[in-house]
Every structure is written in C-alpha cells, then in structure tokens.
Amino acid sequence: MPSFPDVDAMNAPLEQLQTGFEQALVIAFGPELAGTDPMLGPASNPKFGDYQSNIALVLAKQLGQPPRAIAEQIIHHLALSDICHPPVVAGPGFINLTLKASYLEEQLAVMHSDRRLGVPRAKASKRVVIDFSSPNIAKEMHVGHLRSTIIGDCLARILEFQEHDVLRLNHVGDWGTQFGMLIAYLKEAYPAALTTSNALELGDLVTLYRQAKQRFDQDEVFREASRQEVVALQAGEAITQRAWQLLCEQSRREFQRIYDLLDIKLTERGESFYNPLLPAIVSDLERLGLLVEDQGAKCVFLEGFTNREGKPQPLIIQKSDGGYNYATTDLAALRYRIQQDQADWIIYVTDAGQANHFAQVFQVARRSGWIPEDVTIAHVPFGLVLGEGGRKLKTRSGDTIRLQELLNEAIARARADLEARLQEEGREETEEFKAHVAEVVGIGAVKYADLSQNRTSNYVFSYDKMLALQGNTAPYMLYAYVRVQGISRKGQINFEKLTQNPQLSLVEEAELVLAKHLLQLSEVLEQVSTDFLPNRLCQYLFELSQKFNQFYDGCPVLTAAEPLQVSRLALCDLTARTLKLGLSLLGMQTLDRM
Ligand code: ARG
C-alpha cells in the first residue's frame, strides 16, 4: 500500500455550495433565514449544469416575492466564483450551477493525495451495534440469512470506514423449546451426536430436526420427553447442557465455513446469552405497570396494533407455562446493548417480515423508558430472494437450496465462464490463478447481485444475470478495475509513484464528466450511511465505470503528450482507487487481471 498523507477531509462540492447558499440567503434576506436548507441537488439534466437549487420557489410565499426575483437576489450574493461559473436563473426560478474545471482540478488533486479519497470521517464517532446474519442453530442458514449477512456486512464496513466504533453481532437462534425436542430425539436416534463433536454434518442435523418435529407432533410420550429435556436444559443439567453445546458447535462450524467464504467477521452472541436477563424484563415491566395477565400469559397490550376484532393486540412476554418468547429476548438484548455495550445506535438487518416484531419490541422498550433520547434504533428490512419464475428459491428437485451449495455453484459457473474466455483468447493461466479469479468473481457476483437491488424489494436470483459481463454486475465492475490496471501494466506506469501531486488539467467533456462523478464519492457514502441503501453505492460505481470507459475510449492516455498524460493517468488512478474502495465497502475483492 502506498502511504498517503492524511489530509484534512475535503468537503464534497455539494457541501461547499450549500455553505455558499446559506451565506447568500442571510445576506439577501436577513438572519431569519440562517440555517435554511438551500434545497440543492444534482441537476435534473446535465444540460442545465451540475447542481440546481429550488430554494427561490420554496421561499416565494414566505417572502411574498416572485421566485425569479428571489433567485436573482440570491445569485447576486452568491460568492461561489471559485467553485462554479456564474449561476443562471432558469424557468420559474431554478438556480443552475456548473462547476468550473479549475475547481474540479483542485479538488481532484486533494482527493488524489488522500488515502481516504476525500471521504470524511464521521463528525462524531458513534458506538454502533449492528445485528445481522443471525441464523438458527440446528437449522439451515437460508437465503434470507444470506441477504442479512451481505447487507449487514456492507453497512458495517461503511460505518467502520467512517470510523464509527462498530460491534457486529450475530444474534443466533440458539435457544428455545426446539432444543428439548431435538435432544430427546437424538438420544434415541443418534446418541453419538450428543457426546462427540464430529458426528454430524449440519445437513444431517437439519434432517434429524425435521424427523424430531414429526415425532413431536404425533407422539405424546415423546412430547413429554422433550419437555423434560427443556427443563433439564434450563436447569443446566450436565448431560443435556453438553448435548446442547455440541449441537451449537456443529452448526457454528457450518456457519463459519460460509462466513469464511464470504469474508465476514461477526461476534456471536446468541439468544441464550440473554437468558439470565429475562426474569428482570418481566419484573421491570410489571413494576412499570405495563404487564397484563391474559389467559395465564403475561403481556403488554400494544398501541396501534389491533387484532381482527379491532382489539389491542398483546405482545406476550411470558407464556402461561413460564417460557419466554423471541420478543422477550429482544427486549433483554436491546437493554443490554444500550446499558452494557453503550450503543448510541442499534441497527437490525432482517427480512421485512419481521418489521412488526421490531416495531412492537421498540414500542415496549420505548414505553418502558429503556431507550434514551440520544440512542437511535433502526430496523433495516429487506425483501425476499426469489427463484427464476418469481417463486421461492428451490433446487430443481424442490428442496431448499443450501447456502454452501449456492456459493459453490456461483464459483463453479464463474470458473466455467473464465475457462471459456481463456480458450477463446488462447490464454494459458495457472490453476491457482483460475481458482482465485473464479472465487472472487463468483462470490462477488452473489454479493453484488444482492446489494445492487434496492433492498426493500424482492429480487430474482439468477446465476446468468449476476455473472454477465455486461450490465450492472460484479464481473463488469471487476473488469473496469482490471482495465485500469492494464493501462498501468501496458505503459509500465507505477500508479503509486504518481501520488506526488500530479497536475490535473481537464480538457475534454468526458474528462469533466468523469471528474465530477469521482468527486461525488463522499456524498454517496454519506447517503448510504443515512438511508442504508447500498444499491446507491453500486449505482455510483456502475456509472463510474461507464464514465471511465467513455473517457478511455475518447481520450488517449498512454499516447498523450505531457502534461496531459500525467493528468489522464491521475484520472485512471483515481478511478481505480475509487472502484477498489467502493467494492471493498461492498465486501468485494478486486483482481489485477481476470
Ligand atoms: N434468528 C432470527 C431468524 O432467523 C433472526 C434474528 C434477528 N435479530 C434479532 N435481534 N431478532 O429469523
């Protein structure tokens, strides 16, 4: 890695323009307008410039003047001549702004000399707890968990890059009455699994789980035996406890293989961790007067949630048999994260189907006064992963797809694509090269296909689409990066040596377009860390690749004369570094050749 000086984070163009507008508004219309949002955004059409403000239209009523007159007064006081060409009032009163080449050149030089590519650190570093992935022990990790894992990891990476203090928690489902059932069944069907650690693959465990459930539903004697096991487990009885631990270990090993393949770091803190804290949830809610006994169960009646008869819906905190619920554990976890982990910000990444669960848990916690005002809590929901044809994702034989197999398949297909291409190009590569490229492309494709969709919508899982070389796909992005690396190889240019303040000069339209796009990186990241939509970052990188390709097709780089060559090489280098950083924030690796 080259060592770049740590420059003070530069301000994104938008931020600088904003400051200029805020000052102009005060000078033009007085201090009452201090802090007014200047309503600046990217121009709707590049024809009109780069940015546009609608503030004159917004202020018309309040100031009792026609918008165009307001706009004229604002631009009269705008001191932005270092940044943009003279602002233009258009239509009913829009203010259009076009950035100056000299400003772009200056800003790009700053970006170029910054290890962080001009992306500021968070103004105040927060303690963030992000709860994601969270599969269930003795059950298969499914595509919903895969989505949570990919999205959660991406958000964590962005927050970490902004230098928040991030705790990545894996809230695995490692507790519940199902363990009584499973242990009771294994005791008779497969006792070795309860005493040796390598007796089972997770696949078998899942099958056994299904069989156990069948027995449980049919056989009263077995049901009783299961209940006994739950009691024994809760009482910490040694044999049962050990059996439970072994089951957890076996699942954990399987999960870990997937995390390793996906390069995901997580701290496991499963539901069982919060067990000792559950009785206090009940007694504290009781003390607060929120707990109501309803048919033997202890519940909190929810505001704004009604059942079919229109009556307030209860959230069961403790069942009539004394057992606790998923929600009870989440209440305990929430309190623990605030009190012990000192979280300022708690983020839950799960499928949209759990939106009500979280809204209910948050409501009870809020009514109990457990969420301090300065703590932010967010559920980040996502849609379903569908098979081609829009139904649930299944194997050809109709079984649920195992994640390990899904990932292996993506790698295998990436490998086949690669070999076909090598043959076409008459290239020979080592086995090591092929295996590495296939893994980076295959895994990258699965992640990128997920992240490039708006997370709130369902998406169709398609190997063909995600591995296509054209379009908004991982291979396309990786290829754009490779292309820039190819330039440095071909011209024997060491990009790292270029870091000593290259002089930029933007001449062609394609250069200006690329420059403006590069400078939007921090705006985009800022946005993703606010709305948690990683597809914005994907879109940004996709457009970056396109704009880079247009630039590269239209502007000679290696054959350009000095000083243009250095300037263009710097644009190449900035593109490559931005792609690499962006992809790494999506959890993707890059390749120098592919
Ligand atoms: N284990 C749960 C599931 O598979 C997800 C847990 C999400 N996190 C939480 N704190 N509830 O659906």
Side-chain angles (χ1 to χ4, degrees):
M1 262 314 273
S3 59
F4 292 103
D6 234 16
V7 298
D8 269 340
M10 61 193 234
N11 290 321
L14 187 61
E15 219 175 301
Q16 298 194 16
L17 296 176
Q18 235 142 11
T19 313
F21 265 78
E22 280 163 21
Q23 288 164 353
L25 283 169
V26 171
I27 302 171
F29 304 108
E32 314 80 86
L33 287 196
T36 307
D37 176 358
M39 310 289 294
L40 265 165
S44 48
N45 184 333
K47 207 166 67 200
F48 301 135
D50 300 317
Y51 292 93
Q52 184 179 62
S53 163
N54 302 345
I55 185 65
L57 287 85
V58 174
L59 289 178
K61 211 164 163 196
Q62 179 184 342
L63 297 173
Q65 294 181 38
R68 281 194 70 100
I70 297 173
E72 294 293 348
Q73 292 168 77
I74 295 172
I75 66 170
H76 182 70
H77 289 105
L78 270 179
L80 293 173
S81 59
D82 289 346
I83 302 179
C84 46
H85 295 292
V88 177
V89 177
F94 300 122
I95 302 172
N96 292 334
L97 304 158
T98 305
L99 299 174
K100 272 185 176 170
S102 56
Y103 166 77
L104 295 169
E105 288 159 2
E106 235 167 67
Q107 295 294 300
L108 281 183
V110 177
M111 181 172 179
H112 195 277
S113 65
D114 182 10
R115 200 170 38 83
R116 299 177 54 85
L117 293 170
V119 179
R121 296 174 174 79
K123 290 195 184 84
S125 173
K126 297 223 159 88
R127 172 74 163 157
V128 186
V129 167
I130 174 159
D131 174 322
F132 69 103
S133 191
S134 310
N136 301 315
I137 299 287
K139 292 194 196 164
E140 202 83 69
M141 193 168 173
H142 55 67
V143 282
H145 297 124
L146 179 66
R147 263 208 114 168
S148 172
T149 307
I150 292 171
I151 296 170
D153 176 61
C154 169
L155 298 178
R157 283 176 194 257
I158 291 173
L159 295 167
E160 282 157 359
F161 185 66
Q162 295 177 327
E163 300 196 352
H164 289 294
D165 176 13
V166 179
L167 177 59
R168 300 155 159 256
L169 285 186
N170 199 2
H171 190 82
V172 295
D174 64 354
W175 199 253
T177 45
Q178 75 268 26
F179 286 98
M181 175 185 89
L182 191 59
I183 291 169
Y185 187 72
L186 288 174
K187 270 193 178 168
E188 47 175 81
Y190 204 164
L194 301 175
T195 48
T196 23
S197 54
N198 289 324
L200 282 178
E201 280 277 312
L202 184 59
D204 303 327
L205 195 53
V206 173
T207 314
L208 289 162
Y209 184 89
R210 231 175 277 141
Q211 292 165 353
K213 178 85 174 80
Q214 227 165 35
R215 276 292 298 283
F216 189 85
D217 291 341
Q218 289 162 0
D219 181 344
E220 173 53 37
V221 180
F222 180 74
R223 264 203 297 277
E224 186 45 40
S226 303
R227 267 181 228 122
Q228 290 309 315
E229 292 298 344
V230 176
V231 173
L233 189 59
Q234 272 164 353
E237 196 256 296
I239 293 175
T240 312
Q241 190 83 26
R242 169 99 184 109
W244 169 72
Q245 260 159 10
L246 281 172
L247 291 176
C248 291
E249 270 166 36
Q250 289 166 46
S251 285
R252 200 173 284 137
R253 257 203 310 275
E254 285 292 314
F255 297 159
Q256 194 54 45
R257 265 188 233 163
I258 290 169
Y259 295 139
D260 288 345
L261 199 51
L262 292 172
D263 186 23
I264 306 285
K265 306 253 175 318
L266 269 161
T267 301
E268 182 184 322
R269 197 198 276 163
E271 295 184 22
S272 65
F273 177 88
Y274 303 99
N275 277 346
L277 310 175
L278 301 180
I281 293 292
V282 177
S283 54
D284 288 349
L285 288 174
E286 207 142 44
R287 203 167 33 77
L288 290 163
L290 286 170
L291 219 54
V292 178
E293 195 136 332
D294 189 42
Q295 296 165 43
K298 294 183 170 155
C299 342
V300 175
F301 279 92
L302 297 161
E303 294 163 359
F305 291 90
T306 45
N307 61 15
R308 256 172 269 134
E309 289 103 59
K311 299 224 178 76
Q313 200 180 302
L315 182 71
I316 299 181
I317 305 293
Q318 189 170 25
K319 294 182 281 189
S320 54
D321 67 3
Y324 302 99
N325 272 341
Y326 182 50
T328 322
T329 303
D330 260 323
L331 283 168
L334 185 54
R335 274 223 297 201
Y336 190 90
R337 290 164 186 183
I338 292 170
Q339 291 173 357
Q340 311 302 318
D341 296 323
Q342 306 270 302
D344 302 306
W345 203 359
I346 309 179
I347 300 165
Y348 300 80
V349 186
T350 79
D351 63 288
Q354 299 199 31
N356 271 347
H357 161 75
F358 285 109
Q360 294 172 355
V361 166
F362 297 169
Q363 181 191 116
V364 172
R366 197 152 273 134
R367 282 164 63 194
S368 305
W370 295 342
I371 307 177
E373 236 163 73
D374 51 358
V375 172
T376 311
I377 305 218
H379 175 225
V380 175
F382 53 79
L384 305 172
V385 184
L386 304 172
E388 315 219 13
R391 269 182 298 256
K392 239 181 135 186
L393 191 64
K394 292 255 153 103
T395 60
R396 253 176 243 126
S397 58
D399 298 328
T400 38
I401 293 193
R402 300 186 59 185
L403 281 195
Q404 184 79 48
E405 277 156 27
L406 178 143
L407 298 174
N408 289 345
E409 172 87 16
I411 296 171
R413 290 192 188 219
R415 169 97 185 208
D417 288 356
L418 170 66
E419 284 182 354
R421 202 157 42 79
L422 290 179
Q423 192 157 34
E424 221 171 88
E425 294 170 11
R427 271 166 65 192
E428 291 274 352
E429 295 289 355
T430 62
E431 169 56 31
E432 199 190 344
F433 174 87
K434 289 189 266 189
H436 180 63
V437 171
E439 184 166 325
V440 172
V441 174
I443 297 295
V446 171
K447 289 190 180 183
Y448 194 85
D450 197 312
L451 294 169
S452 58
Q453 302 290 321
N454 182 312
R455 64 172 160 74
T456 56
S457 42
N458 300 344
Y459 83 96
V460 175
F461 188 94
S462 157
Y463 290 113
D464 288 339
K465 263 203 211 130
M466 69 177 69
L467 286 166
L469 262 179
Q470 289 304 325
N472 191 7
T473 64
Y476 179 84
M477 305 303 307
L478 292 171
Y479 199 74
Y481 182 79
V482 165
R483 201 171 182 200
V484 192
Q485 299 308 306
I487 297 166
S488 85
R489 265 197 306 279
K490 198 159 133 208
Q492 299 187 315
I493 310 285
N494 183 352
F495 278 146
E496 294 172 18
K497 290 244 172 70
L498 213 73
T499 52
Q500 280 83 35
N501 302 322
Q503 189 65 49
L504 278 125
S505 56
L506 306 168
V507 187
E508 302 291 334
E509 184 59 22
E511 292 175 292
L512 289 165
V513 169
L514 177 59
K516 286 170 189 172
H517 195 75
L518 281 165
L519 289 173
Q520 284 165 17
L521 175 67
S522 29
E523 281 164 34
V524 170
L525 290 178
E526 175 62 32
Q527 224 176 8
V528 179
S529 64
T530 321
D531 60 20
F532 300 133
L533 289 174
N535 59 303
R536 288 189 198 281
L537 177 56
C538 296
Q539 188 61 32
Y540 169 81
L541 295 172
F542 179 50
E543 285 171 23
L544 176 62
S545 311
Q546 289 177 317
K547 288 176 175 159
F548 174 76
N549 285 339
Q550 273 151 18
F551 152 75
Y552 192 59
D553 291 342
C555 306
V557 175
L558 292 173
T559 55
E562 288 304 347
L564 212 50
Q565 194 192 52
V566 170
S567 173
R568 292 189 174 161
L569 282 170
L571 281 176
C572 294
D573 182 35
L574 273 170
T575 302
R577 284 164 55 200
T578 303
L579 283 172
K580 193 180 177 101
L581 172 64
L583 293 172
S584 82
L585 294 175
L586 298 174
M588 287 168 62
Q589 275 180 276
T590 45
L591 296 161
D592 287 343
R593 296 193 307 123
M594 68 189 274

